[in-house]
Each structure stands twice: as C-alpha cells, then as structure tokens.
Amino acid sequence: GNSMLCTARGNLSISTTRNDRKVPVIGVVAVIQRDGRLLVIQRAQRVVAGGWWCFPGVAIEPGETPQQAVVRDVFEEIGMHVEPVRQLWTWDRPDGGLRLLWWSVRVVGLGEASCLPNPDEVAQVRWVTPAELRALSPVLPSNLAFLEACPLDGGQEGRII
C-alpha cells in the first residue's frame, strides 16, 4: 500500500521515520502570465498564511490530478477559467511536509473580465512584474524561490510560457 510510497525513492531518508513524519501534502501553484506580469494574490486574513502574497495555489484532493486541481483552485479563488499548459517546477519544503508543483496556466473564456476574488480566501489580486513581486511584503518564501529558479525577466527569451 502507501507505506512503500516514500521509502522507494531512496534519497528521502526522512521518510523512514514514518511514525512521526507524514507523507508530504502535495499542492499545485498557478503561474498566470500576461505581458511580462504575473497574477498574484494577497491571502485573506482568515486562511493559513493570511496577509501573505503568493501565486494562487491549493492542496490536491484525493483522486484529483494536478491539472484538475490548478483549474479548480484558480476558479475558486478568483473566478477565472484557466487551462493547464505545463509543469514548470517542483518545490519541497525543507521539513518534507509539503511539495508544490508549479504549473503554467492559460486564461480562457472571458479572461480577466471574469476575475472576481473570493473574499473568504483572497484579500486582493494584482498583476506584478517579478521585481514588483520581490518588493511586496510578506511574500511566501517558495514564491521567491520560484522566481530565482525560473527567471521571468529578460524579454521574450525569459518568458516561461
């Protein structure tokens, strides 16, 4: 069953102490680009990491693919319909409890006209350049790590989608 999931990877030695370590939560993060800018949200105060800036993201539900999760999350958080393009990056939290899959997505349908933040989850939405995102505070550390790993500055050749 599931007990083989982590130990089979070998290099994840932390997963051998399974009694006090859970298999990481897998989340998906939506990277939405337009004219060199990225869509970011400020999380509502009532949710985990309330007040922090980040890309939209959510835990993947049992039986759900990353593609399904990212489409669901963007719609639930900001009301926009998107389609997944490709996975860009993977980030593992140092304590092994969280893995984030970063997906480039394309806005479809009404596009930005349908953007309606869900006040239960989102305080505000902004389109920012990578430099503007770095200047916001506070920003989730994984998001800053993503900007370093997948640079978006530098014109057409720097674009990720």
Side-chain angles (χ1 to χ4, degrees):
N2 264 350
S3 58
M4 293 303 294
L5 193 63
C6 278
T7 49
R9 293 204 185 105
N11 61 344
L12 292 181
S13 56
I14 54 166
S15 62
T16 54
T17 54
R18 287 189 49 88
N19 294 339
D20 56 0
R21 285 251 186 211
K22 58 178 186 229
V23 175
V25 172
I26 311 291
V28 64
V29 177
V31 180
I32 307 172
Q33 251 194 316
R34 181 199 72 188
D35 300 328
R37 292 180 180 270
L38 300 159
L39 185 146
V40 295
I41 62 167
Q42 185 181 37
R43 297 167 71 91
Q45 289 297 338
R46 66 191 81 181
V47 299
V48 175
W52 288 68
W53 290 92
C54 59
F55 298 103
V58 73
I60 299 172
E61 301 284 352
E64 194 176 40
T65 66
Q67 295 94 320
Q68 290 167 332
V70 77
V71 169
R72 171 179 62 83
D73 178 61
V74 173
F75 183 72
E76 288 177 355
E77 289 194 11
I78 56 176
M80 289 166 63
H81 293 280
V82 297
E83 60 185 22
V85 177
R86 65 186 173 98
Q87 186 175 326
L88 300 170
W89 192 56
T90 302
W91 178 84
D92 290 299
R93 199 168 64 195
D95 67 4
L98 177 67
R99 165 169 286 194
L100 296 178
L101 311 177
W102 297 69
W103 274 80
S104 169
V105 300
R106 180 186 300 118
V107 179
V108 295
L110 290 173
E112 294 159 46
S114 66
C115 183
L116 187 66
N118 175 352
D120 290 335
E121 299 185 33
V122 177
Q124 55 177 315
V125 176
R126 280 193 202 169
W127 289 96
V128 296
T129 64
E132 288 166 346
L133 176 54
R134 290 184 189 100
L136 290 173
S137 183
V139 178
L140 290 181
S142 60
N143 287 238
L144 298 174
F146 169 76
L147 291 181
E148 295 305 311
C150 302
L152 311 181
D153 328 73
Q156 277 304 115
E157 60 281 359
R159 295 187 55 124
I160 53 168
I161 56 174

PDB file of all heavy atoms in Angstrom, residues 94-121:
ATOM      1  N   PRO A  94      11.629  22.306   3.287  1.00  0.00           N
ATOM      2  CA  PRO A  94      12.772  21.607   3.924  1.00  0.00           C
ATOM      3  C   PRO A  94      12.377  20.539   4.928  1.00  0.00           C
ATOM      4  O   PRO A  94      13.091  19.547   5.073  1.00  0.00           O
ATOM      5  CB  PRO A  94      13.539  22.758   4.597  1.00  0.00           C
ATOM      6  CG  PRO A  94      13.235  23.953   3.750  1.00  0.00           C
ATOM      7  CD  PRO A  94      11.817  23.763   3.277  1.00  0.00           C
ATOM      8  N   ASP A  95      11.247  20.704   5.611  1.00  0.00           N
ATOM      9  CA  ASP A  95      10.864  19.686   6.603  1.00  0.00           C
ATOM     10  C   ASP A  95      10.200  18.471   5.977  1.00  0.00           C
ATOM     11  O   ASP A  95       9.829  17.528   6.669  1.00  0.00           O
ATOM     12  CB  ASP A  95       9.944  20.288   7.675  1.00  0.00           C
ATOM     13  CG  ASP A  95       8.578  20.689   7.119  1.00  0.00           C
ATOM     14  OD1 ASP A  95       8.298  20.433   5.926  1.00  0.00           O
ATOM     15  OD2 ASP A  95       7.782  21.255   7.888  1.00  0.00           O
ATOM     16  N   GLY A  96      10.053  18.467   4.657  1.00  0.00           N
ATOM     17  CA  GLY A  96       9.493  17.309   3.971  1.00  0.00           C
ATOM     18  C   GLY A  96       7.983  17.199   4.034  1.00  0.00           C
ATOM     19  O   GLY A  96       7.417  16.241   3.531  1.00  0.00           O
ATOM     20  N   GLY A  97       7.314  18.179   4.632  1.00  0.00           N
ATOM     21  CA  GLY A  97       5.868  18.069   4.820  1.00  0.00           C
ATOM     22  C   GLY A  97       5.023  18.620   3.688  1.00  0.00           C
ATOM     23  O   GLY A  97       3.808  18.456   3.698  1.00  0.00           O
ATOM     24  N   LEU A  98       5.666  19.273   2.701  1.00  0.00           N
ATOM     25  CA  LEU A  98       4.899  19.897   1.624  1.00  0.00           C
ATOM     26  C   LEU A  98       5.701  19.859   0.338  1.00  0.00           C
ATOM     27  O   LEU A  98       6.897  20.177   0.330  1.00  0.00           O
ATOM     28  CB  LEU A  98       4.573  21.356   1.979  1.00  0.00           C
ATOM     29  CG  LEU A  98       3.824  22.171   0.925  1.00  0.00           C
ATOM     30  CD1 LEU A  98       2.415  21.636   0.717  1.00  0.00           C
ATOM     31  CD2 LEU A  98       3.785  23.649   1.320  1.00  0.00           C
ATOM     32  N   ARG A  99       5.046  19.461  -0.744  1.00  0.00           N
ATOM     33  CA  ARG A  99       5.637  19.523  -2.089  1.00  0.00           C
ATOM     34  C   ARG A  99       4.695  20.335  -2.964  1.00  0.00           C
ATOM     35  O   ARG A  99       3.492  20.053  -3.001  1.00  0.00           O
ATOM     36  CB  ARG A  99       5.839  18.123  -2.661  1.00  0.00           C
ATOM     37  CG  ARG A  99       6.098  18.118  -4.167  1.00  0.00           C
ATOM     38  CD  ARG A  99       6.554  16.772  -4.663  1.00  0.00           C
ATOM     39  NE  ARG A  99       7.935  16.563  -4.247  1.00  0.00           N
ATOM     40  CZ  ARG A  99       8.713  15.604  -4.734  1.00  0.00           C
ATOM     41  NH1 ARG A  99       8.251  14.746  -5.604  1.00  0.00           N
ATOM     42  NH2 ARG A  99       9.959  15.487  -4.323  1.00  0.00           N
ATOM     43  N   LEU A 100       5.230  21.341  -3.643  1.00  0.00           N
ATOM     44  CA  LEU A 100       4.420  22.184  -4.528  1.00  0.00           C
ATOM     45  C   LEU A 100       4.829  21.971  -5.980  1.00  0.00           C
ATOM     46  O   LEU A 100       6.017  22.007  -6.314  1.00  0.00           O
ATOM     47  CB  LEU A 100       4.593  23.670  -4.173  1.00  0.00           C
ATOM     48  CG  LEU A 100       4.104  24.098  -2.785  1.00  0.00           C
ATOM     49  CD1 LEU A 100       4.394  25.578  -2.562  1.00  0.00           C
ATOM     50  CD2 LEU A 100       2.626  23.801  -2.608  1.00  0.00           C
ATOM     51  N   LEU A 101       3.832  21.747  -6.828  1.00  0.00           N
ATOM     52  CA  LEU A 101       4.029  21.591  -8.268  1.00  0.00           C
ATOM     53  C   LEU A 101       3.594  22.903  -8.930  1.00  0.00           C
ATOM     54  O   LEU A 101       2.447  23.320  -8.780  1.00  0.00           O
ATOM     55  CB  LEU A 101       3.188  20.432  -8.803  1.00  0.00           C
ATOM     56  CG  LEU A 101       3.284  19.116  -8.025  1.00  0.00           C
ATOM     57  CD1 LEU A 101       2.335  18.081  -8.615  1.00  0.00           C
ATOM     58  CD2 LEU A 101       4.714  18.598  -7.997  1.00  0.00           C
ATOM     59  N   TRP A 102       4.510  23.543  -9.627  1.00  0.00           N
ATOM     60  CA  TRP A 102       4.242  24.862 -10.227  1.00  0.00           C
ATOM     61  C   TRP A 102       3.806  24.673 -11.667  1.00  0.00           C
ATOM     62  O   TRP A 102       4.557  24.129 -12.472  1.00  0.00           O
ATOM     63  CB  TRP A 102       5.485  25.737 -10.125  1.00  0.00           C
ATOM     64  CG  TRP A 102       5.845  25.995  -8.702  1.00  0.00           C
ATOM     65  CD1 TRP A 102       6.331  25.086  -7.805  1.00  0.00           C
ATOM     66  CD2 TRP A 102       5.689  27.217  -7.987  1.00  0.00           C
ATOM     67  NE1 TRP A 102       6.489  25.681  -6.581  1.00  0.00           N
ATOM     68  CE2 TRP A 102       6.112  26.984  -6.660  1.00  0.00           C
ATOM     69  CE3 TRP A 102       5.244  28.491  -8.354  1.00  0.00           C
ATOM     70  CZ2 TRP A 102       6.095  27.977  -5.696  1.00  0.00           C
ATOM     71  CZ3 TRP A 102       5.239  29.484  -7.382  1.00  0.00           C
ATOM     72  CH2 TRP A 102       5.657  29.221  -6.078  1.00  0.00           C
ATOM     73  N   TRP A 103       2.605  25.126 -12.000  1.00  0.00           N
ATOM     74  CA  TRP A 103       2.029  24.931 -13.323  1.00  0.00           C
ATOM     75  C   TRP A 103       1.786  26.263 -14.020  1.00  0.00           C
ATOM     76  O   TRP A 103       1.177  27.173 -13.447  1.00  0.00           O
ATOM     77  CB  TRP A 103       0.690  24.182 -13.219  1.00  0.00           C
ATOM     78  CG  TRP A 103       0.881  22.702 -13.206  1.00  0.00           C
ATOM     79  CD1 TRP A 103       1.235  21.904 -12.162  1.00  0.00           C
ATOM     80  CD2 TRP A 103       0.748  21.821 -14.328  1.00  0.00           C
ATOM     81  NE1 TRP A 103       1.330  20.596 -12.554  1.00  0.00           N
ATOM     82  CE2 TRP A 103       1.036  20.508 -13.881  1.00  0.00           C
ATOM     83  CE3 TRP A 103       0.413  22.019 -15.674  1.00  0.00           C
ATOM     84  CZ2 TRP A 103       1.006  19.398 -14.725  1.00  0.00           C
ATOM     85  CZ3 TRP A 103       0.375  20.916 -16.520  1.00  0.00           C
ATOM     86  CH2 TRP A 103       0.672  19.627 -16.044  1.00  0.00           C
ATOM     87  N   SER A 104       2.261  26.352 -15.253  1.00  0.00           N
ATOM     88  CA  SER A 104       1.874  27.457 -16.122  1.00  0.00           C
ATOM     89  C   SER A 104       0.458  27.189 -16.613  1.00  0.00           C
ATOM     90  O   SER A 104       0.152  26.077 -17.054  1.00  0.00           O
ATOM     91  CB  SER A 104       2.841  27.533 -17.303  1.00  0.00           C
ATOM     92  OG  SER A 104       2.361  28.406 -18.277  1.00  0.00           O
ATOM     93  N   VAL A 105      -0.423  28.195 -16.493  1.00  0.00           N
ATOM     94  CA  VAL A 105      -1.799  28.051 -16.969  1.00  0.00           C
ATOM     95  C   VAL A 105      -2.152  29.229 -17.868  1.00  0.00           C
ATOM     96  O   VAL A 105      -1.581  30.311 -17.759  1.00  0.00           O
ATOM     97  CB  VAL A 105      -2.816  27.945 -15.803  1.00  0.00           C
ATOM     98  CG1 VAL A 105      -2.519  26.745 -14.927  1.00  0.00           C
ATOM     99  CG2 VAL A 105      -2.847  29.215 -14.979  1.00  0.00           C
ATOM    100  N   ARG A 106      -3.103  28.983 -18.755  1.00  0.00           N
ATOM    101  CA  ARG A 106      -3.559  29.987 -19.722  1.00  0.00           C
ATOM    102  C   ARG A 106      -5.001  30.342 -19.394  1.00  0.00           C
ATOM    103  O   ARG A 106      -5.827  29.461 -19.162  1.00  0.00           O
ATOM    104  CB  ARG A 106      -3.463  29.390 -21.138  1.00  0.00           C
ATOM    105  CG  ARG A 106      -3.894  30.305 -22.263  1.00  0.00           C
ATOM    106  CD  ARG A 106      -3.885  29.551 -23.595  1.00  0.00           C
ATOM    107  NE  ARG A 106      -2.556  29.036 -23.940  1.00  0.00           N
ATOM    108  CZ  ARG A 106      -2.257  27.747 -24.079  1.00  0.00           C
ATOM    109  NH1 ARG A 106      -3.187  26.822 -23.901  1.00  0.00           N
ATOM    110  NH2 ARG A 106      -1.050  27.373 -24.408  1.00  0.00           N
ATOM    111  N   VAL A 107      -5.297  31.639 -19.381  1.00  0.00           N
ATOM    112  CA  VAL A 107      -6.660  32.096 -19.121  1.00  0.00           C
ATOM    113  C   VAL A 107      -7.515  31.863 -20.362  1.00  0.00           C
ATOM    114  O   VAL A 107      -7.096  32.140 -21.482  1.00  0.00           O
ATOM    115  CB  VAL A 107      -6.671  33.590 -18.738  1.00  0.00           C
ATOM    116  CG1 VAL A 107      -8.090  34.076 -18.491  1.00  0.00           C
ATOM    117  CG2 VAL A 107      -5.810  33.823 -17.504  1.00  0.00           C
ATOM    118  N   VAL A 108      -8.720  31.316 -20.162  1.00  0.00           N
ATOM    119  CA  VAL A 108      -9.643  31.041 -21.266  1.00  0.00           C
ATOM    120  C   VAL A 108     -10.997  31.678 -20.960  1.00  0.00           C
ATOM    121  O   VAL A 108     -11.215  32.217 -19.872  1.00  0.00           O
ATOM    122  CB  VAL A 108      -9.800  29.518 -21.509  1.00  0.00           C
ATOM    123  CG1 VAL A 108      -8.490  28.914 -21.984  1.00  0.00           C
ATOM    124  CG2 VAL A 108     -10.283  28.811 -20.255  1.00  0.00           C
ATOM    125  N   GLY A 109     -11.905  31.595 -21.901  1.00  0.00           N
ATOM    126  CA  GLY A 109     -13.247  32.133 -21.684  1.00  0.00           C
ATOM    127  C   GLY A 109     -13.233  33.645 -21.638  1.00  0.00           C
ATOM    128  O   GLY A 109     -12.603  34.301 -22.465  1.00  0.00           O
ATOM    129  N   LEU A 110     -13.892  34.202 -20.636  1.00  0.00           N
ATOM    130  CA  LEU A 110     -13.982  35.657 -20.511  1.00  0.00           C
ATOM    131  C   LEU A 110     -12.662  36.292 -20.099  1.00  0.00           C
ATOM    132  O   LEU A 110     -12.522  37.511 -20.121  1.00  0.00           O
ATOM    133  CB  LEU A 110     -15.051  36.024 -19.466  1.00  0.00           C
ATOM    134  CG  LEU A 110     -16.495  35.755 -19.856  1.00  0.00           C
ATOM    135  CD1 LEU A 110     -17.405  35.995 -18.661  1.00  0.00           C
ATOM    136  CD2 LEU A 110     -16.901  36.645 -21.020  1.00  0.00           C
ATOM    137  N   GLY A 111     -11.720  35.470 -19.695  1.00  0.00           N
ATOM    138  CA  GLY A 111     -10.422  36.009 -19.309  1.00  0.00           C
ATOM    139  C   GLY A 111     -10.515  36.832 -18.048  1.00  0.00           C
ATOM    140  O   GLY A 111     -11.251  36.522 -17.117  1.00  0.00           O
ATOM    141  N   GLU A 112      -9.762  37.940 -18.040  1.00  0.00           N
ATOM    142  CA  GLU A 112      -9.695  38.744 -16.822  1.00  0.00           C
ATOM    143  C   GLU A 112     -11.021  39.394 -16.465  1.00  0.00           C
ATOM    144  O   GLU A 112     -11.227  39.798 -15.322  1.00  0.00           O
ATOM    145  CB  GLU A 112      -8.624  39.809 -16.984  1.00  0.00           C
ATOM    146  CG  GLU A 112      -7.234  39.219 -17.093  1.00  0.00           C
ATOM    147  CD  GLU A 112      -6.282  40.194 -17.737  1.00  0.00           C
ATOM    148  OE1 GLU A 112      -6.307  41.363 -17.333  1.00  0.00           O
ATOM    149  OE2 GLU A 112      -5.543  39.783 -18.638  1.00  0.00           O
ATOM    150  N   ALA A 113     -11.908  39.530 -17.432  1.00  0.00           N
ATOM    151  CA  ALA A 113     -13.206  40.147 -17.140  1.00  0.00           C
ATOM    152  C   ALA A 113     -13.972  39.358 -16.084  1.00  0.00           C
ATOM    153  O   ALA A 113     -14.821  39.898 -15.384  1.00  0.00           O
ATOM    154  CB  ALA A 113     -14.032  40.259 -18.427  1.00  0.00           C
ATOM    155  N   SER A 114     -13.640  38.065 -15.973  1.00  0.00           N
ATOM    156  CA  SER A 114     -14.359  37.230 -15.009  1.00  0.00           C
ATOM    157  C   SER A 114     -13.679  37.197 -13.643  1.00  0.00           C
ATOM    158  O   SER A 114     -14.128  36.499 -12.746  1.00  0.00           O
ATOM    159  CB  SER A 114     -14.486  35.796 -15.550  1.00  0.00           C
ATOM    160  OG  SER A 114     -13.211  35.192 -15.631  1.00  0.00           O
ATOM    161  N   CYS A 115     -12.585  37.960 -13.485  1.00  0.00           N
ATOM    162  CA  CYS A 115     -11.837  37.916 -12.235  1.00  0.00           C
ATOM    163  C   CYS A 115     -12.672  38.493 -11.095  1.00  0.00           C
ATOM    164  O   CYS A 115     -13.000  39.677 -11.090  1.00  0.00           O
ATOM    165  CB  CYS A 115     -10.531  38.692 -12.362  1.00  0.00           C
ATOM    166  SG  CYS A 115      -9.512  38.601 -10.886  1.00  0.00           S
ATOM    167  N   LEU A 116     -13.032  37.626 -10.154  1.00  0.00           N
ATOM    168  CA  LEU A 116     -13.836  38.040  -9.009  1.00  0.00           C
ATOM    169  C   LEU A 116     -13.273  37.335  -7.777  1.00  0.00           C
ATOM    170  O   LEU A 116     -13.591  36.169  -7.532  1.00  0.00           O
ATOM    171  CB  LEU A 116     -15.304  37.668  -9.229  1.00  0.00           C
ATOM    172  CG  LEU A 116     -16.279  38.184  -8.174  1.00  0.00           C
ATOM    173  CD1 LEU A 116     -16.350  39.705  -8.199  1.00  0.00           C
ATOM    174  CD2 LEU A 116     -17.657  37.586  -8.416  1.00  0.00           C
ATOM    175  N   PRO A 117     -12.417  38.014  -7.011  1.00  0.00           N
ATOM    176  CA  PRO A 117     -11.791  37.346  -5.867  1.00  0.00           C
ATOM    177  C   PRO A 117     -12.824  36.851  -4.860  1.00  0.00           C
ATOM    178  O   PRO A 117     -13.795  37.545  -4.563  1.00  0.00           O
ATOM    179  CB  PRO A 117     -10.918  38.447  -5.252  1.00  0.00           C
ATOM    180  CG  PRO A 117     -10.699  39.435  -6.355  1.00  0.00           C
ATOM    181  CD  PRO A 117     -11.927  39.386  -7.201  1.00  0.00           C
ATOM    182  N   ASN A 118     -12.598  35.627  -4.357  1.00  0.00           N
ATOM    183  CA  ASN A 118     -13.433  35.057  -3.301  1.00  0.00           C
ATOM    184  C   ASN A 118     -12.958  35.655  -1.976  1.00  0.00           C
ATOM    185  O   ASN A 118     -11.853  35.365  -1.527  1.00  0.00           O
ATOM    186  CB  ASN A 118     -13.268  33.535  -3.301  1.00  0.00           C
ATOM    187  CG  ASN A 118     -13.996  32.862  -2.151  1.00  0.00           C
ATOM    188  OD1 ASN A 118     -14.521  33.518  -1.260  1.00  0.00           O
ATOM    189  ND2 ASN A 118     -14.006  31.549  -2.175  1.00  0.00           N
ATOM    190  N   PRO A 119     -13.782  36.501  -1.322  1.00  0.00           N
ATOM    191  CA  PRO A 119     -13.311  37.198  -0.121  1.00  0.00           C
ATOM    192  C   PRO A 119     -12.954  36.269   1.034  1.00  0.00           C
ATOM    193  O   PRO A 119     -12.220  36.656   1.938  1.00  0.00           O
ATOM    194  CB  PRO A 119     -14.486  38.113   0.240  1.00  0.00           C
ATOM    195  CG  PRO A 119     -15.679  37.504  -0.425  1.00  0.00           C
ATOM    196  CD  PRO A 119     -15.162  36.824  -1.662  1.00  0.00           C
ATOM    197  N   ASP A 120     -13.451  35.030   1.014  1.00  0.00           N
ATOM    198  CA  ASP A 120     -13.091  34.076   2.056  1.00  0.00           C
ATOM    199  C   ASP A 120     -11.629  33.646   1.947  1.00  0.00           C
ATOM    200  O   ASP A 120     -11.032  33.196   2.925  1.00  0.00           O
ATOM    201  CB  ASP A 120     -13.979  32.832   1.991  1.00  0.00           C
ATOM    202  CG  ASP A 120     -15.408  33.126   2.421  1.00  0.00           C
ATOM    203  OD1 ASP A 120     -15.606  34.083   3.190  1.00  0.00           O
ATOM    204  OD2 ASP A 120     -16.316  32.412   1.975  1.00  0.00           O
ATOM    205  N   GLU A 121     -11.065  33.754   0.737  1.00  0.00           N
ATOM    206  CA  GLU A 121      -9.709  33.255   0.521  1.00  0.00           C
ATOM    207  C   GLU A 121      -8.722  34.322   0.077  1.00  0.00           C
ATOM    208  O   GLU A 121      -7.520  34.185   0.295  1.00  0.00           O
ATOM    209  CB  GLU A 121      -9.729  32.130  -0.530  1.00  0.00           C
ATOM    210  CG  GLU A 121     -10.559  30.926  -0.121  1.00  0.00           C
ATOM    211  CD  GLU A 121     -10.461  29.783  -1.123  1.00  0.00           C
ATOM    212  OE1 GLU A 121      -9.400  29.624  -1.735  1.00  0.00           O
ATOM    213  OE2 GLU A 121     -11.456  29.063  -1.279  1.00  0.00           O
TER     214      GLU A 121
END
